[in-house]
Amino acid sequence: MTAATHSPLFSQIPDSADAVLDGLDPEQREVATCLRGPMCVLAGAGTGKTRAITHRIAYGVRAGIYQPSSVLAVTFTNRAAGEMRGRLRQLGAHGVQARTFHSAALRQLQYFWPKVIGGVMPRLVDRKIQLVADAAAACRIRLDRGELRDVTAEIEWAKVTQTVPADYALAAAKAGRETPRDPAEIARLYSVYEELKQDRSVIDFEDVLLLTVAILQDRHDVAEQVRAQYQHFVVDEYQDVNPLQQRLLELWLGERDNLCVVGDASQTIYSFTGATPDYLLDFRTRHPGATVVKLVRDYRSTPQIVHLANGLLAQARGRAADHRLELVSQRAPGPDPVYTEYADEPAEAEGAARRIQELIASGVPPSGIAVLFRTNSQSETYEQALADLGVPYQLRGAERFFDRPEVRKAVIALRGAARFGGNDSLLDDAVDLPSQVRAVLSAEGWTPQPPAGSGAVRERWESLAALAHLAQDFAAARPDATLSDLVTELDERANTQHAPTVQGVTLASLHSAKGLEWDVVFLVGITEGMIPITYARTDEQIEEERRLLYVGVTRAREQLYVSWALSRSPGGRPHRRPSRFLDGLRPGSAGTAGRGVPGAFGGIERGFTATDGAAAAAGTVGAVGGMGASVPRRVRRAPARCRVCGRTLTGGGELKLMRCEDCPSDMDEGLYERLREWRAEQAGRSGQPAFCVFTDKTLMAIAESVPDDEYELARIPGVGMRKLRRYGADVLAICAGQKPVTETGEN
């Protein structure tokens, strides 16, 4: 299991600011080098968004444009923030703050509390569910465990949407929420919950944001002090921002606009918590001068998996669907997704477990495999099936890695060995860092071979093995590293909850899998009633379920298995059917999936400047719709669908031709030869290779489409704005049967 943006764990620090940009594609480079003013990055799954924004920050710092302490990068999980800090360190950008919204707000609240409020700040409660249970008891309302969890979620939603108890019932009805209890009852529980917190002098995580917002709104001096500290902001996963977080961000910014936001409306799967993609989609309305960069080059998944992902969203509806991105795989072809129907759920679990066992036997590491399901209640069947075959597994969302007793004990032992290792006979035969770590871990119960079976013993071994693997990677990247250096790295990871990979198959819900990726993914239980889930009734809820399945599909790098069961238990009535989202995509199914209107394509859309305004007045720059205001932009790139058969295109050569390689060509051979002759003359004049003018594939695409104007020419991949300005007049003249402009002396 790895973070979604796949890169080496430990890499060499770039030796200069320009070296930070090495390896970035054109769109990522635009993100990294456009350092002033507002920027919106629409980033599809697997397109390297974390890479783009960390390189942006690092380039700004290394080039001397940003002061490290003036940058605040905000994301949504401790793991993502920890990964971002780690990447920034490896890029030589030390001192940049990368935090979650809650962590950043809590730090500010703790600092300003004595000055603004006075006294000791109330204690922060980690788990509010016990307080909700106490509120229910005070109201003489009986809630079972599930209802407690659901009511707690309703209180959280109310607070992030800044809804007070008296307004809850009306707000819930207006939002169309399916409340777990009578809205009036929940409002009463919410009110008593707030009273209990005040009586006990505690606050919850939502209060941290609310109180910080209140202080920044009411105290101009405090707001100015925060704004003096932070000059540049980057917000990751911006489609998941809720109204309270957006308000906090606005207060941090003040009247400034040095803000870069990154997100994908097609991965909005947390609307039930108050998250909304509207802030992402309305970014251009709020910031008319913003640059919009679209990342669609998928470096994670094979063309076959990307084709399925694009097909899933092709029939999507609603505002988020209007802004979907058409991914283009950058990887070599792989196997087609495998679709399997089973008689019942136990048979489905056993089938998946057997296939996983075969994959592991063939060399796929267990940590590179995941089983993803819609609800956590589905995990037990798969836990049992894997345990029966002796396949190691881990539950995503279980106890934090560095909080596990065996891990804490092992780190203490490693720290002791780092201090006194010279006098420790345990390390006498250890010749390098990995062998030193293995020696220490052996004393804690680690063995080179895993124990038989599963359960607690196996889980402890997996934890220690993860530390051994981390030491191996660390030593490979830093050959001169000592045991003390490794302990420092472990301490940093413990502080950020950046756990190493555990060598076991991951079992996880689709929601908890977001932001992660695996070589092989099993999507199980993909039936009507499960996805979309039974209680998804409105169009908006159905579309969110579609996006959830899309997130599951795009977690896979190389192999994808999709399965469903016709009944819940053996012998049951086979009344289930595969999810409607697979119609037209899985073999033998009817439907129109994959034939919808193409999504948005990669490229860069710049905001208003004086030059742009003049160009727009002259009619040379097109207007873009859909991101709010109508603004000048670069001409949109060509569709990623075959113009002959309509299939989604994935390969670079296919994209240049705008058709499948094996679809018939209608190229004008005479025009192609004239273009080749012209290209040779241009290359001779400039002293560069012919392909630097245009590649053969680009000339073929021009000869097939025979563009009439600059807009049509610019739509052909491989042309681009620079070549359009330099060669466009010549190419269009040749296409019209005329002499190139350069020959007539008009250029």
Side-chain angles (χ1 to χ4, degrees):
M1 178 180 69
T2 68
T5 38
H6 197 47
S7 65
L9 184 61
F10 304 102
S11 56
Q12 297 299 316
I13 296 176
D15 58 10
S16 67
D18 287 342
V20 171
L21 305 177
D22 290 347
L24 300 182
D25 66 33
E27 291 79 23
Q28 292 171 343
R29 182 178 284 259
E30 179 73 15
V31 175
T33 56
C34 184
L35 298 175
R36 302 288 188 186
M39 171 176 281
C40 178
V41 183
L42 301 178
T47 57
K49 67 179 179 63
T50 306
R51 178 180 175 82
I53 58 177
T54 52
H55 283 245
R56 170 193 175 88
I57 295 169
Y59 179 72
V61 169
R62 298 288 299 274
I65 299 170
Y66 292 167
Q67 288 297 317
S69 60
S70 73
V71 181
L72 179 59
V74 187
T75 187
F76 280 79
T77 66
N78 287 323
R79 181 184 178 88
E83 182 195 355
M84 191 176 289
R85 283 193 292 271
R87 288 187 181 217
L88 289 169
R89 286 200 307 271
Q90 289 301 315
L91 291 170
H94 301 277
V96 173
Q97 292 292 316
R99 297 181 174 274
T100 65
F101 271 102
H102 285 94
S103 172
L106 179 60
R107 195 166 184 240
Q108 293 173 18
L109 191 62
Q110 290 170 331
Y111 182 81
F112 290 111
W113 187 277
K115 175 181 178 180
V116 176
I117 309 297
V120 180
M121 186 177 135
R123 179 175 61 86
L124 179 64
V125 293
D126 287 332
R127 297 178 70 251
K128 60 174 70 70
I129 199 163
Q130 184 56 54
L131 268 173
V132 176
D134 293 346
C139 295
R140 298 188 177 181
I141 297 173
R142 297 187 62 179
L143 299 176
D144 61 29
R145 187 175 179 180
E147 288 176 318
L148 264 176
R149 186 175 59 248
D150 291 343
V151 169
T152 301
E154 283 302 298
I155 292 174
E156 291 173 349
W157 172 82
K159 297 186 76 166
V160 302
T161 56
Q162 301 173 75
T163 303
V164 298
D167 297 335
Y168 168 77
L170 182 61
K174 186 176 180 180
R177 293 185 72 79
E178 294 278 347
T179 58
R181 304 279 295 207
D182 180 84
E185 230 175 23
I186 294 178
R188 185 179 167 208
L189 282 166
Y190 178 15
S191 179
V192 173
Y193 167 82
E194 291 297 316
E195 292 170 4
L196 284 176
K197 284 200 293 105
Q198 189 169 4
D199 292 344
R200 298 176 186 183
S201 295
V202 297
I203 58 175
D204 59 28
F205 278 102
E206 289 70 41
D207 290 330
V208 170
L209 299 183
L210 285 164
L211 289 166
T212 306
V213 164
I215 289 174
L216 294 176
Q217 284 180 158
D218 296 344
R219 291 288 298 265
H220 180 74
D221 58 328
V222 171
E224 287 305 307
Q225 190 172 340
V226 171
R227 291 166 192 162
Q229 168 73 49
Y230 296 115
Q231 306 292 321
H232 306 278
F233 296 86
V234 175
V235 183
D236 195 10
E237 302 288 3
Y238 195 54
Q239 78 280 349
D240 291 333
V241 164
N242 62 46
L244 183 55
Q245 291 164 335
Q246 175 65 21
R247 181 61 186 141
L248 177 59
L249 178 62
E250 291 167 353
L251 289 166
W252 282 339
L253 275 168
E255 299 300 317
R256 301 165 302 170
D257 63 357
N258 282 326
L259 170 65
C260 173
V261 300
V262 189
D264 179 10
S266 295
Q267 295 189 69
T268 304
I269 59 173
Y270 293 110
S271 64
F272 60 91
T273 67
T276 171
D278 288 347
Y279 301 117
L280 175 69
L281 300 178
D282 290 337
F283 192 81
R284 260 280 180 78
T285 301
R286 297 192 311 278
H287 302 279
T291 296
V292 176
V293 179
K294 297 174 182 175
L295 304 182
V296 299
R297 304 173 199 250
D298 189 320
Y299 298 97
R300 179 191 305 160
S301 304
T302 63
Q304 288 75 11
I305 293 170
V306 166
H307 179 64
L308 174 58
N310 286 336
L312 270 176
L313 294 184
Q315 293 301 305
R317 297 289 182 268
R319 192 167 184 228
D322 291 341
H323 298 276
R324 69 183 184 84
L325 300 168
E326 187 93 2
L327 299 179
V328 182
S329 176
Q330 305 298 299
R331 297 194 55 182
D336 288 329
V338 176
Y339 301 89
T340 310
E341 183 175 279
Y342 293 92
D344 51 66
E345 287 184 4
E348 184 180 7
E350 290 166 13
R354 282 195 301 272
R355 183 64 187 126
I356 289 169
Q357 188 180 45
E358 293 169 359
L359 288 165
I360 294 172
S362 71
V364 179
S367 60
I369 304 172
V371 179
L372 307 182
F373 31 74
R374 176 63 179 84
T375 66
N376 286 319
S377 62
Q378 295 170 270
S379 74
E380 184 179 357
T381 306
Y382 291 89
E383 291 178 56
Q384 186 62 54
L386 292 171
D388 288 345
L389 294 178
V391 176
Y393 68 86
Q394 59 166 328
L395 279 170
R396 173 76 182 158
E399 185 180 25
R400 290 179 174 180
F401 181 84
F402 287 103
D403 290 342
R404 297 174 187 174
E406 67 272 16
V407 173
R408 291 202 305 268
K409 190 177 177 185
V411 172
I412 291 172
L414 289 169
R415 185 174 289 110
R419 288 178 181 172
F420 310 112
N423 300 318
D424 192 340
S425 60
L426 188 68
L427 303 182
D428 286 349
D429 298 326
V431 296
D432 55 17
L433 177 58
S435 60
Q436 289 177 337
V437 172
R438 288 194 294 270
V440 174
L441 295 180
S442 295
E444 299 301 320
W446 177 81
T447 57
Q449 297 300 319
S454 57
V457 173
R458 180 60 182 249
E459 290 175 3
R460 284 195 294 273
W461 184 90
E462 296 285 359
S463 296
L464 298 177
L467 290 173
H469 284 294
L470 177 65
Q472 191 77 35
D473 291 339
F474 190 68
R478 296 178 54 183
D480 58 342
T482 65
L483 199 53
S484 295
D485 294 329
L486 177 64
V487 170
T488 301
E489 174 70 17
L490 292 174
D491 288 341
E492 173 64 26
R493 283 169 166 258
N495 290 335
T496 62
Q497 288 300 331
H498 186 186
T501 299
V502 175
Q503 292 299 312
V505 174
T506 299
L507 300 180
S509 70
L510 289 165
H511 280 101
S512 65
K514 188 170 181 293
L516 302 172
E517 63 182 49
W518 296 267
D519 290 335
V520 186
V521 168
F522 288 76
L523 297 177
V524 299
I526 309 301
T527 64
E528 282 292 303
M530 190 56 74
I531 187 160
I533 200 80
T534 305
Y535 53 75
R537 297 187 178 92
T538 67
D539 290 342
E540 291 81 4
Q541 291 167 340
I542 295 293
E543 288 306 317
E544 182 142 334
E545 293 288 300
R546 186 195 304 275
R547 295 193 294 269
L548 188 56
L549 183 56
Y550 171 81
V551 166
V553 168
T554 55
R555 299 311 93 196
R557 296 190 197 114
E558 298 171 3
Q559 299 182 55
L560 180 65
Y561 295 83
V562 183
S563 63
W564 58 90
L566 298 178
S567 68
R568 180 173 184 178
S569 55
R573 185 168 63 89
H575 65 283
R576 294 177 174 176
R577 71 177 187 87
S579 170
R580 72 188 73 169
F581 300 143
L582 299 179
D583 290 349
L585 296 171
R586 61 184 177 86
S589 64
T592 57
R595 301 177 199 159
V597 177
F601 306 99
I604 302 161
E605 301 171 2
R606 303 190 187 281
F608 277 112
T609 65
T611 304
D612 288 337
T620 58
V621 181
V624 64
M627 274 298 292
S630 178
V631 296
R633 66 159 192 169
R634 287 190 176 188
V635 180
R636 192 177 70 177
R637 296 187 179 184
R641 287 185 180 276
C642 176
R643 56 192 171 81
V644 179
C645 70
R647 185 179 70 81
T648 301
L649 302 176
T650 54
E654 292 182 338
L655 286 167
K656 289 245 176 127
L657 296 174
M658 294 183 288
R659 62 172 173 81
C660 304
E661 293 278 5
D662 54 357
C663 279
S665 169
D666 54 356
M667 183 176 68
D668 183 330
E669 296 285 353
L671 174 58
Y672 178 64
E673 288 304 320
R674 291 195 297 276
L675 287 168
R676 282 174 57 86
E677 292 172 3
W678 165 84
R679 181 182 66 175
E681 292 174 3
Q682 290 293 326
R685 287 183 187 139
S686 60
Q688 60 183 340
F691 68 83
C692 290
V693 180
F694 285 119
T695 64
D696 286 345
K697 282 285 175 63
T698 300
L699 292 187
M700 289 175 65
I702 294 171
E704 288 185 356
S705 58
V706 193
D708 291 326
D709 54 34
E710 287 189 353
Y711 177 73
E712 290 185 5
L713 180 58
R715 286 171 59 91
I716 298 173
V719 176
M721 293 301 295
R722 183 177 62 83
K723 291 187 178 182
L724 180 66
R725 287 193 294 268
R726 185 170 183 179
Y727 303 126
D730 274 7
V731 171
L732 290 173
I734 295 170
C735 289
Q738 302 167 359
K739 286 187 177 183
V741 175
T742 50
E743 289 187 17
T744 65
E746 296 174 14
N747 193 20

